[in-house]
Each structure stands twice: as structure tokens, then as C-alpha cells.
């Protein structure tokens, strides 16, 4: 009965939140979310690929690594993570004492889903001689889960790696044909591409880099027009931070529509409701969280 009562209270709060949302304008809702964040002592983190309304209301906007840094050092009691599921899990792993809220629990990722734990465990067992027992300077690296990003790292470092056969479904939609077409239309515009694009697209790019480094490249480039080959949400941040330049979305073979359906599942309304009801909340078994914490903290330290 207690559980049923709690669930009923949550449902009522959620319904009230939705009713309140429906009566508010976008500007009013954004202000209400900011006010609620202050009341909850919450920090709002938004990935570069989130919808513009969430980027505008966030305390910090960045790539997954940058947001991990912000999550690690925040003194907020609550983290409202506007991104995909694995990013919110990362925030929880390094903040076990904080409440981590994700606007839409179904906001997953084609990359993380391409590498289920049981398949990765099977891979590691089969290659235990190479991964566990060999000397560090001789053993190969298993790069998980994006094969295109892994191939780019191999190209940059010369280090042999085993590549997990996963891809970001958005970035593989960009093709050499579609990029050549946009280059013909804007011959003086440099092409900046994300390393999760295919090899053929990377070879056509003037710069291949993370979304965070795209900001610096575009600021420093003398070009007035720049072609951006990554998820379309990145253009909002670029236009906001560098308003004197024109950013052209890299097309796919079908359209100018390089959007991630998972990233776009989060909305301003869902973010408000999530913070209002404090759900859905990310929860992890402590045994798993502890095992995952060390490599993430090492990653953050090495990436400084």
C-alpha cells in the first residue's frame, strides 16, 4: 500500500507538471525550469546535440567529455543531464551521493547499444591472453564501441587496435558523395567533420575533431563560411558563440537532416517535469558503480 501511495503521488505530481507546462509559453517554461533548478540546487548539463531550448537553459553545454568534467566538480545536489542514457550514468558513477535525473529514460544511443555487456565480456574472455597477460607495451588495445572513431585514433597515433564493430547511425549517414556535393556548392568553405564519420568523409575534411574542438577551429579559421559535418544540434552552439560566421550543415545523401533521434527525445517540457518530479532518476548497483568509477576518473585525469 505504501508503494502504491508513493506511485500515486508521483503520478499526480507528474500530471500537474504536464498541465502546468501546457499553459506556459516557451519563455515562461524556460524561466520556470531555471527557478526550479535554483530551488532544487540543481545543475543543468546539456550536450551539444540537444535541442536549442535545452542548450539555452543549461548551466553548461558541451561534449560528453566536457560534461563529465562539469559533473565531477559540481557542488549541486541534483544533476539534470540533458543527453543520452550512458552520459547520465557516467555522471552518476562519479557522483554517487547526488541525484542524477534524465529527462527521457528512453534517450539511448546506437553506439552504446551496439556493445551489449555480454558480448563484450565474451570478446574479452576469448582474447584474455592478449588483453590481460601480455606486457602493456606489446598488447593491443580494444577500442569500444565506435569503429570509425577507433580507426581515426589509429591513424593519429599509429597504435594497433582491435576495433569493436559499432557505429553512430547519424555520422555514417554522411557520405563522400554528399560532402563532395556541398563542397561544390561552397568551394571556399572548409569542411569540419566529426571522427565518427566514415574514412571516406574524413579524407575529404579539412579538419577532423571533436565537437568541443570544432568551436576553437571555427573561431580561429579565417573562413566566413564553414561546413559542419556532425549532428545538427552543434550548429546552434556554433551560431551562438560565433555569430559573425555562417555555418552550413553537412548533408546526407537524402537531406540536410543529420539529427540523432535519441538526443532529440529530451525536450524543455520533459526536463521541467523531470526536475519537478525528480524522475526518471539514474540508479546503479554500487558494485557496478565502483568498478566503473576508477577508469572514468583515470580518463578525466589523463584528458586534462
Amino acid at each position: 500500500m505504501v508503494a502504491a501511495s508513493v506511485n500515486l503521488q508521483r503520478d499526480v505530481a507528474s500530471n500537474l507538471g504536464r498541465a502546468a507546462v501546457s499553459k506556459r509559453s516557451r519563455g515562461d517554461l524556460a524561466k520556470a525550469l531555471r527557478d526550479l533548478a535554483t530551488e532544487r540546487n540543481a545543475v543543468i548539463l546539456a550536450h551539444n546535440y540537444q535541442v536549442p531550448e535545452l542548450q539555452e537553459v543549461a548551466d553548461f553545454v558541451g561534449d560528453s567529455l566536457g560534461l563529465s568534467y562539469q559533473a565531477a566538480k559540481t557542488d549541486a545536489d541534483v544533476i539534470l543531464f540533458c543527453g543520452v542514457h550512458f552520459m547520465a550514468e557516467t555522471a552518476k558513477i562519479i557522483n554517487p551521493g547526488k541525484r542524477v535525473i534524465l529527462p527521457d529514460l528512453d534517450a539511448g544511443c546506437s553506439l552504446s547499444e551496439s556493445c551489449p555487456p555480454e558480448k563484450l565480456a565474451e570478446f574479452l574472455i576469448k582474447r584474455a591472453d592478449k588483453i590481460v597477460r601480455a606486457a602493456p607495451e606489446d598488447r593491443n588495445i580494444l577500442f569500444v564501441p565506435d569503429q570509425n572513431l577507433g580507426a581515426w585514433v589509429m591513424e593519429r597515433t599509429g597504435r594497433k587496435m582491435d576495433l569493436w564493430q559499432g557505429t553512430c547511425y547519424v555520422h555514417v549517414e554522411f557520405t563522400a558523395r554528399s560532402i563532395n556535393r556541398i563542397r561544390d556548392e561552397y568551394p571556399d568553405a572548409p569542411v569540419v567533420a566529426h571522427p565518427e564519420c566514415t574514412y571516406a568523409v574524413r579524407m575529404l575534411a579539412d579538419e577532423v575533431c571533436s565537437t568541443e574542438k570544432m568551436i576553437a577551429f571555427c573561431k580561429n579559421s579565417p573562413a566566413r563560411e564553414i561546413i559542419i559535418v556532425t549532428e545538427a544540434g552543434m550548429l546552434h552552439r556554433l551560431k551562438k558563440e560565433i555569430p559573425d560566421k555562417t555555418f552550413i550543415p553537412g548533408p546526407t545523401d537524402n537531406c540536410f537532416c543529420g539529427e540523432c533521434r535519441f538526443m532529440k527525445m529530451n525536450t524543455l517540457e520533459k526536463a521541467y517535469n523531470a526536475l519537478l518530479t525528480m524522475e526518471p532518476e539514474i540508479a546503479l548497483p554500487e558494485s557496478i558503480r565502483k568498478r566503473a568509477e576508477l577508469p572514468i576518473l583515470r580518463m578525466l585525469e589523463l584528458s586534462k
Side-chain angles (χ1 to χ4, degrees):
M1 291 295 292
V2 172
S5 177
V6 170
N7 288 335
L8 178 60
Q9 291 173 11
R10 287 174 178 169
D11 289 343
V12 169
S14 180
N15 289 334
L16 287 173
R18 290 189 183 94
V21 164
S22 65
K23 295 178 181 178
R24 287 192 170 105
S25 68
R26 310 298 283 181
D28 289 343
L29 182 56
K31 183 180 184 304
L33 178 54
R34 288 303 324 165
D35 291 344
L36 187 58
T38 300
E39 178 185 328
R40 297 270 200 247
N41 188 26
V43 63
I44 303 177
L45 307 180
H47 192 272
N48 289 320
Y49 297 162
Q50 291 292 286
V51 295
E53 292 90 345
L54 287 175
Q55 293 192 40
E56 288 297 317
V57 81
D59 294 290
F60 301 99
V61 179
D63 61 10
S64 56
L65 179 61
L67 295 180
S68 293
Y69 280 121
Q70 296 298 336
K73 67 183 185 182
T74 185
D75 57 0
D77 296 320
V78 179
I79 299 172
L80 177 61
F81 206 115
C82 301
V84 293
H85 199 279
F86 82 84
M87 298 177 186
E89 285 184 334
T90 301
K92 182 63 178 180
I93 287 166
I94 55 182
N95 290 282
K98 301 183 187 300
R99 300 187 71 175
V100 179
I101 310 298
L102 182 67
D104 192 321
L105 202 58
D106 291 328
C109 174
S110 62
L111 272 178
S112 61
E113 291 171 4
S114 74
C115 186
E118 61 276 8
K119 288 190 177 180
L120 179 58
E122 181 182 351
F123 182 97
L124 293 173
I125 291 171
K126 288 181 178 178
R127 291 158 176 79
D129 58 332
K130 182 163 58 177
I131 295 174
V132 177
R133 299 193 183 96
E137 61 268 20
D138 297 330
R139 76 186 192 193
N140 287 348
I141 298 170
L142 171 60
F143 194 98
V144 176
D146 189 281
Q147 60 183 311
N148 291 316
L149 179 57
W152 177 74
V153 173
M154 285 177 60
E155 295 160 14
R156 295 288 299 270
T157 65
R159 185 74 186 266
K160 176 71 173 68
M161 297 192 296
D162 293 314
L163 304 180
W164 189 266
Q165 298 302 294
T167 59
C168 167
Y169 88 92
V170 174
H171 286 100
V172 297
E173 288 182 350
F174 301 113
T175 67
R177 180 170 53 251
S178 68
I179 301 308
N180 275 323
R181 188 170 69 246
I182 199 70
R183 292 202 80 154
D184 288 342
E185 190 174 346
Y186 298 92
D188 297 326
V191 173
V192 186
H194 194 278
E196 289 175 5
C197 293
T198 63
Y199 177 79
V201 171
R202 297 198 307 271
M203 289 301 99
L204 291 173
D206 298 283
E207 179 73 8
V208 179
C209 59
S210 67
T211 53
E212 207 60 36
K213 290 192 175 179
M214 286 182 184
I215 301 290
F217 176 87
C218 292
K219 283 181 179 178
N220 296 328
S221 173
R224 310 314 300 168
E225 297 179 323
I226 303 173
I227 299 167
I228 303 298
V229 188
T230 190
E231 209 275 349
M234 187 64 199
L235 274 76
H236 177 77
R237 184 178 172 195
L238 286 166
K239 292 173 182 176
K240 181 179 179 180
E241 296 193 20
I242 317 172
D244 59 329
K245 295 186 179 181
T246 299
F247 297 100
I248 303 148
T252 68
D253 281 338
N254 300 315
C255 61
F256 288 89
C257 54
E259 291 194 339
C260 174
R261 64 179 181 271
F262 298 110
M263 285 286 186
K264 297 304 190 278
M265 292 178 78
N266 295 316
T267 64
L268 194 60
E269 291 87 348
K270 289 178 181 178
Y272 177 83
N273 281 326
L275 198 55
L276 180 69
T277 63
M278 297 298 286
E279 289 187 342
E281 182 175 0
I282 300 298
L284 297 171
E286 181 61 12
S287 58
I288 294 177
R289 189 202 68 78
K290 285 290 291 182
R291 289 182 63 191
E293 184 178 33
L294 181 59
I296 291 175
L297 293 178
R298 284 176 175 170
M299 175 194 72
L300 293 176
E301 181 63 29
L302 291 171
S303 300
K304 284 183 178 178

